[in-house]
């Protein structure tokens, strides 16, 4: 039917200028993404980083790509090496690169080549408080975020912390692209609710692709 031609568009929900949700965009690739993630986590295990205040983050993290996002008592930074092992982070697998570029293009950002992928693992109760992503060199590139596993409620705020935040439910396979005027908006994730996902069990994985360097 002709409706098929428009499915991709119907599933692209504009959130705000520069931000769009691509519903289900990563679903067809989920098995490939998770197989590649298992290898990444073998080489660079998930860990709970410390915030500059010395608090243990409830979200467990790892990275792949030339640069990895790291937090410790000295602050936040992008590091070419995993501080736990001293080795470079695992490289970005082809499945990750393809999905990130395809999603960015779908949202209007052609030629997106990320050099960093932060992998966030949420278990029930884990949350990410309202923050901005501002450790990257170039705010001209978008950020692509891929949700896998249990559903979560994403908070999409404004340009100051006190702006009222929109609540955006995200489920397995949803992809969000943030760029342009949305790039520096505050955002966060509400505490993950209990549940079990057929592929991932009691957890949610978020892949965040960035051009950091
Ligand atoms: C909105 N992670 O790791 S990325 C993060 O679900 C982070 O784990 C979220 O925020 C998660 O920093 C999803 C969503 C995101 C990233 C950058 C943004 C949303 C954004 C920049 C501007 C506005
Ligand atoms: Fe963020």
């Amino acid at each position: 039917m002709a409706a098929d031609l428009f499915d991709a568009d119907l599933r692209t929900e504009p959130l705000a200028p520069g931000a769009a949700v691509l519903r289900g965009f990563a679903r067809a690739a989920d098995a490939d993404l998770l197989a590649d993630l298992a290898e990444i986590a073998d080489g660079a295990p998930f860990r709970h980083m410390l915030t500059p205040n010395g608090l243990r983050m409830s979200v467990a993290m790892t990275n792949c790509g030339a640069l990895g996002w790291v937090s410790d008592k000295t602050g936040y930074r992008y590091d070419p090496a995993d501080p736990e092992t001293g080795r470079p982070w695992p490289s970005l697998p082809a499945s990750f690169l393809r999905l990130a570029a395809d999603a960015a293009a779908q949202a209007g950002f052609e030629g997106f080549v990320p050099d960093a992928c932060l992998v966030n693992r949420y278990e029930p109760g884990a949350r990410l408080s309202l923050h901005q992503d501002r450790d990257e060199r170039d705010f001209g590139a978008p950020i692509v975020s891929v949700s896998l596993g249990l559903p979560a409620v994403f908070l999409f705020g404004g340009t100051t912390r006190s702006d009222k935040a929109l609540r955006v439910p995200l489920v397995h396979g949803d992809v969000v692209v943030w760029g342009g005027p949305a790039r520096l908006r505050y955002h966060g994730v509400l505490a993950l609710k209990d549940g079990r996902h057929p592929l991932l069990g009691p957890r949610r994985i978020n892949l965040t692709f960035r051009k950091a360097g």
Side-chain angles (χ1 to χ4, degrees), residues 19 59 61 69 118-122 128-129 131-133 136 143-147 152 154-157 170 176-179 182-189 204-210:
V59 177
M61 299 176 170
W69 186 86
L118 172 63
V119 185
N120 291 155
R121 187 188 70 194
Y122 296 76
L128 201 57
S129 56
H131 66 278
Q132 291 173 296
D133 289 16
E136 301 73 29
I143 289 183
V144 172
S145 133
V146 177
S147 293
F154 184 78
L155 293 174
F156 185 44
L170 293 177
V176 193
V177 181
W178 324 84
R183 180 62 182 77
L184 287 174
R185 286 173 66 160
Y186 278 87
H187 58 277
V189 180
R204 167 180 190 256
I205 295 285
N206 184 267
L207 310 176
T208 305
F209 295 94
R210 305 183 171 105

Side-chain angles (χ1 to χ4, degrees), residues 161-180:
R161 189 183 292 279
S162 56
D163 285 345
K164 191 174 156 46
L166 203 67
R167 289 174 179 229
V168 184
L170 293 177
V171 305
H172 179 78
D174 287 349
V175 177
V176 193
V177 181
W178 324 84

Side-chain angles (χ1 to χ4, degrees), residues 8 15 18 20 28 34 37 49 53 64 71 75 83 90 97 125 131 137 173 187:
L15 261 187
L34 291 172
L37 175 60
M49 297 181 188
N53 295 328
C64 59
S71 177
L97 283 169
H131 66 278
R137 188 187 296 275
H187 58 277

Side-chain angles (χ1 to χ4, degrees), residues 17-207:
V21 185
L22 314 182
R23 292 290 177 197
F25 195 89
R27 226 163 27 208
D30 60 3
D32 288 343
L33 296 170
L34 291 172
D36 286 336
L37 175 60
E39 289 198 26
I40 290 164
D42 273 348
F46 284 99
R47 79 291 306 264
H48 294 271
M49 297 181 188
L50 295 180
T51 67
N53 295 328
L55 299 174
R56 173 186 186 267
M57 297 181 76
S58 60
V59 177
M61 299 176 170
T62 187
N63 290 279
C64 59
L67 293 168
W69 186 86
V70 172
S71 177
D72 62 21
K73 284 182 178 175
T74 70
Y76 310 128
R77 67 179 182 279
Y78 280 96
D79 201 317
D82 178 350
E84 293 291 321
T85 63
R87 295 192 306 256
W89 298 101
S91 54
L92 268 160
S95 65
F96 282 32
L97 283 169
R98 193 174 315 121
L99 183 77
D102 287 352
Q106 174 76 212
F109 299 94
E110 292 290 340
F112 178 53
V113 184
D115 57 12
C117 176
L118 172 63
V119 185
N120 291 155
R121 187 188 70 194
Y122 296 76
E123 288 178 344
R127 59 189 283 271
L128 201 57
S129 56
L130 223 51
H131 66 278
Q132 291 173 296
D133 289 16
R134 48 186 311 157
D135 302 320
E136 301 73 29
R137 188 187 296 275
D138 173 13
F139 298 143
I143 289 183
V144 172
S145 133
V146 177
S147 293
L148 296 168
L150 288 178
V153 177
F154 184 78
L155 293 174
F156 185 44
T159 48
T160 70
R161 189 183 292 279
S162 56
D163 285 345
K164 191 174 156 46
L166 203 67
R167 289 174 179 229
V168 184
L170 293 177
V171 305
H172 179 78
D174 287 349
V175 177
V176 193
V177 181
W178 324 84
R183 180 62 182 77
L184 287 174
R185 286 173 66 160
Y186 278 87
H187 58 277
V189 180
L190 292 185
L192 196 75
K193 288 207 177 145
D194 229 325
R196 212 157 269 279
H197 184 272
L199 290 181
L200 275 157
R203 55 190 68 85
R204 167 180 190 256
I205 295 285
N206 184 267
L207 310 176

